[in-house]
Amino acid sequence: MAQVQNNRRVFKVGIVGAGISGLAAAKQLARYDPLVFEATGSIGGVWQHCSFRTTKLQTPRMDYEFSDYPWKNRHDTSFPSNTEILEYLEGYATHFDLWRHIHLHSRVVEIRFLGCRDKAGFTELWGAGGRPLAGQPMWEVGVQTGQSETIEWYAFEFLVMCIGKYGDLPRMPSYPYGGGPDVFQGKVLHSLDYCKLDEPATRELMKGKKVVIVGYKKSGIDLAVECAEANQGLDGQPCTMVIRTLHWTVPHYSIWGLPFFIFFSTRSSQFLHERPNQGLLRSLFCHLSSPLRSAVSKFIESYLKWKLPLEKYGLVPDQPFVEDYASCQMAILPERFFPEADEGRIRFKKSAKWWFWERGVVLDDGTKLEADVVLLATGFDGKKKLRSVLPEPFRGLIEDSNGVMPLYRGTIHPLIPHMAFIGFIESVSNLHTSELRCMWLSRLLDGHFDLPGVEKMLQQTTEETEIMKRTTRFYKRHCISTFSINHSDEMCEEMGWESWRKGNWFAEAFSPYSSQDYLDKEKEM
């Protein structure tokens, strides 16, 4: 039950955000009766507010489900649409009675630290002597509800930040002086604004218009297909994609007839890659296995260049496939993407820099592209969201000197006490990773294990960052895909679980891990 102190209500646990991570946190921490603040009028996060009409999941549905709430049609091999995923998440919230914790239209506008600022984050032990729950309020959260300008204050012993890396705040490009969108006579929308339009509005926006899309990752690719669909017929106009950095795309999860998971997602395949705390012998093995890793990457690249017209359109990336996989930047192509390009409705231009002129955009080689509409698929700035609400000195500690958020077990910032962050480190299946981290966090709050000291946690996060830096030039994406099983192993060991979850050595070596392997069997008994 909540207490009232100094005109504020006091609770043990607060959760900010009701997307995938927020729902997982609410379910795993339900015994603490948490309050979940969601700024919008619905749950689902990016699937509700950052998805297009044609957006589909990037992984098979069996790889994107909660351990204790499987899909009803989990053996359906088609990729679920965003509508299906929202129905699944709403079913999850209803099944586990999470709605009673969720406060919609409740926007967190400010967070205050109630502990000692002089000691905060710079003590030998994280939190109150290493304990996550201090026995007293440590964070004060200001919330605006609905259209009200009144700020209500809540206090918590522990706060879980689940606002994630995507949505809310768009990442906008920088332009040279006089080359910003204000000089352009057409329309400029970020993908976040496009998501808010219904189907008739998107078709009206693009039909018969010269459209330029900036970006070549999942959002940009989906936008290009929708643009091409809107411009069928004689009066249609081609859509032009402006690409700064090329990344590998795949048409499906099969490579030369082999299932994709055998290359990266099994314990045996990940044994070839570096991981934290691997010791001298494994380090030597990883060094010697470098040619084999390269061969696997080239094997996949050979298939993609055979299957897709990458060379025809100048879309072969400079970096090897393994670098994109290691940074979670591999995108699944919509079926109609290259057929639309073959029919001339999608065009490609590469340019490291670009800017606006009154009738369109200018590329770095001086080429001018006329445009009526420019769509910016330039991503989101989740860390900026955090900085906007966190107080000093924590605001300045979000990133380390590498530009990476140092999170122990992907959850605890060693220098920010009594707070957890879920959904800020990526993997092949973010739902699975978020749920396991919430299970780990639940047991931490219950006192089943203790955290190491701040120095050791920082050593761990630094080692993970150094591994990512050696694996991919895009390490700032903060992706653990090449050592995700080892990451899960270490969390299981701290929770007191068996780290090998399959039951027999063959499955352990050659089967991919999923959420079902991490079902909490004690709760199921």
Side-chain angles (χ1 to χ4, degrees):
M1 295 290 291
Q3 302 176 2
V4 178
Q5 297 178 2
N6 300 324
N7 295 321
R8 67 190 178 197
R9 284 180 283 178
V10 179
F11 299 82
K12 276 192 174 296
V13 176
I15 300 170
V16 183
I20 293 288
S21 299
L23 294 175
K27 194 269 180 180
Q28 296 300 326
L29 301 174
R31 61 190 167 285
Y32 292 102
D33 197 20
L35 263 63
V36 182
F37 299 116
E38 169 55 45
T40 70
S42 54
I43 64 173
V46 295
W47 290 108
Q48 182 67 257
H49 308 294
C50 303
S51 297
F52 311 144
R53 172 176 52 84
T54 58
T55 300
K56 291 189 176 183
L57 187 63
Q58 292 267 80
T59 56
R61 66 188 70 217
M62 284 198 301
D63 294 333
Y64 199 85
E65 64 181 2
F66 293 104
S67 61
D68 49 7
Y69 191 73
W71 287 84
K72 292 179 181 178
N73 54 338
R74 65 190 309 266
H75 295 290
D76 185 345
T77 57
S78 65
F79 291 169
S81 67
N82 65 314
T83 302
E84 290 178 277
I85 294 171
L86 287 172
E87 291 174 353
Y88 173 76
L89 296 177
E90 289 171 359
Y92 178 79
T94 300
H95 182 78
F96 291 107
D97 194 22
L98 302 182
W99 294 105
R100 63 189 176 93
H101 302 296
I102 300 171
H103 293 236
L104 300 175
H105 298 292
S106 299
R107 184 167 65 94
V108 172
V109 295
E110 184 179 355
I111 297 175
R112 299 172 180 170
F113 183 60
L114 302 177
C116 178
R117 288 179 177 271
D118 295 335
K119 295 181 179 179
F122 303 99
T123 55
E124 182 178 349
L125 293 175
W126 180 87
R131 300 187 307 276
L133 296 173
Q136 64 185 42
M138 298 302 295
W139 294 100
E140 191 175 41
V141 177
V143 178
Q144 285 183 332
T145 303
Q147 300 299 316
S148 173
E149 295 185 1
T150 302
I151 298 179
E152 298 181 66
W153 290 95
Y154 301 80
F156 300 95
E157 288 186 44
F158 195 88
L159 200 56
V160 188
M161 302 299 292
C162 298
I163 57 178
K165 298 170 69 172
Y166 305 107
D168 292 345
L169 292 181
R171 177 179 287 112
M172 302 300 290
S174 57
Y175 311 99
Y177 180 77
D182 53 309
V183 304
F184 178 51
Q185 296 176 353
K187 291 184 178 180
V188 181
L189 282 81
H190 189 273
S191 60
L192 183 62
D193 302 310
Y194 180 91
C195 291
K196 299 173 184 177
L197 304 177
D198 59 21
E199 183 175 353
T202 60
R203 289 189 176 275
E204 182 180 352
L205 175 71
M206 297 185 292
K207 178 66 175 176
K209 308 288 178 56
K210 297 173 183 176
V211 179
V212 170
I213 297 173
V214 180
Y216 187 65
K217 288 192 278 192
K218 181 59 177 170
S219 293
I221 289 170
D222 284 346
L223 279 173
V225 172
E226 293 201 8
C227 179
E229 290 177 350
N231 280 283
Q232 304 288 325
L234 296 177
D235 59 342
Q237 292 282 348
C239 158
T240 302
M241 300 189 75
V242 175
I243 305 167
R244 185 181 66 174
T245 304
L246 288 167
H247 293 286
W248 290 96
T249 55
V250 297
H252 44 65
Y253 281 100
S254 177
I255 303 295
W256 295 119
L258 299 172
F260 185 85
F261 67 77
I262 70 170
F263 300 105
F264 293 106
S265 302
T266 65
R267 195 176 287 276
S268 57
S269 62
Q270 293 199 358
F271 193 76
L272 300 176
H273 298 267
E274 270 194 277
R275 68 186 190 191
N277 309 315
Q278 64 182 5
L280 182 60
L281 288 178
R282 269 196 50 80
S283 296
L284 178 61
F285 176 82
C286 285
H287 176 72
L288 295 176
S289 63
S290 176
L292 183 55
R293 291 196 301 272
S294 179
V296 169
S297 187
K298 289 184 180 300
F299 181 75
I300 296 172
E301 292 162 28
S302 69
Y303 174 78
L304 297 178
K305 287 188 282 189
W306 170 78
K307 182 70 175 179
L308 304 173
L310 301 179
E311 294 176 329
K312 172 183 176 180
Y313 292 112
L315 299 178
V316 178
D318 294 330
Q319 71 277 5
F321 179 87
V322 67
E323 283 201 45
D324 276 353
Y325 185 84
S327 55
C328 295
Q329 299 202 94
M330 179 190 76
I332 299 292
L333 284 175
E335 291 181 5
R336 289 293 304 165
F337 182 72
F338 278 117
E340 294 289 1
D342 291 339
E343 293 174 14
R345 283 188 283 271
I346 300 177
R347 297 175 178 174
F348 309 97
K349 293 288 185 179
K350 290 184 285 185
S351 184
K353 296 180 181 178
W354 65 277
W355 53 93
F356 286 98
W357 64 301
E358 59 183 17
R359 291 165 51 194
V361 300
V362 184
L363 307 184
D364 57 6
D365 63 357
T367 301
K368 289 187 174 181
L369 301 177
E370 290 190 1
D372 302 303
V373 180
V374 175
L375 300 176
L376 304 177
T378 51
F380 304 91
D381 198 338
K383 293 173 184 175
K384 186 176 180 180
K385 285 192 294 181
L386 282 176
R387 292 191 189 97
S388 69
V389 294
L390 286 181
E392 292 292 0
F394 309 110
R395 184 180 303 162
L397 300 173
I398 290 296
E399 289 182 339
D400 62 16
S401 59
N402 293 301
V404 172
M405 196 171 173
L407 294 179
Y408 179 75
R409 302 296 183 238
T411 307
I412 297 296
H413 194 304
L415 302 179
I416 304 181
H418 307 290
M419 182 178 283
F421 301 84
I422 309 292
F424 289 88
I425 296 182
E426 295 187 68
S427 68
V428 176
S429 175
N430 289 329
L431 183 149
H432 158 58
T433 310
S434 289
E435 183 188 33
L436 185 58
R437 287 172 184 153
C438 289
M439 292 176 174
W440 179 90
L441 180 62
S442 172
R443 281 151 184 77
L444 174 65
L445 265 62
D446 288 348
H448 288 300
F449 61 92
D450 296 323
L451 292 174
V454 168
E455 184 177 356
K456 287 189 176 181
M457 286 196 287
L458 286 172
Q459 288 175 352
Q460 173 76 11
T461 60
T462 299
E463 184 176 356
E464 289 184 5
T465 300
E466 290 303 314
I467 288 172
M468 289 186 288
K469 288 173 70 174
R470 290 193 293 270
T471 303
T472 175
R473 70 197 71 180
F474 309 111
Y475 66 90
K476 290 185 180 180
R477 289 272 301 192
H478 210 163
C479 172
I480 61 165
S481 61
T482 57
F483 57 92
S484 59
I485 295 176
N486 179 71
H487 183 86
S488 299
D489 286 349
E490 292 181 334
M491 284 192 289
C492 286
E493 289 165 5
E494 286 184 334
M495 288 191 290
W497 289 8
E498 292 290 335
S499 57
W500 285 34
R501 314 286 298 173
K502 293 288 189 181
N504 67 79
W505 70 268
F506 187 85
E508 280 291 348
F510 302 111
S511 295
Y513 265 86
S514 69
S515 297
Q516 293 296 306
D517 294 304
Y518 296 95
L519 181 66
D520 189 346
K521 297 178 181 179
E522 292 182 3
K523 289 186 177 180
E524 294 297 306
M525 293 177 62

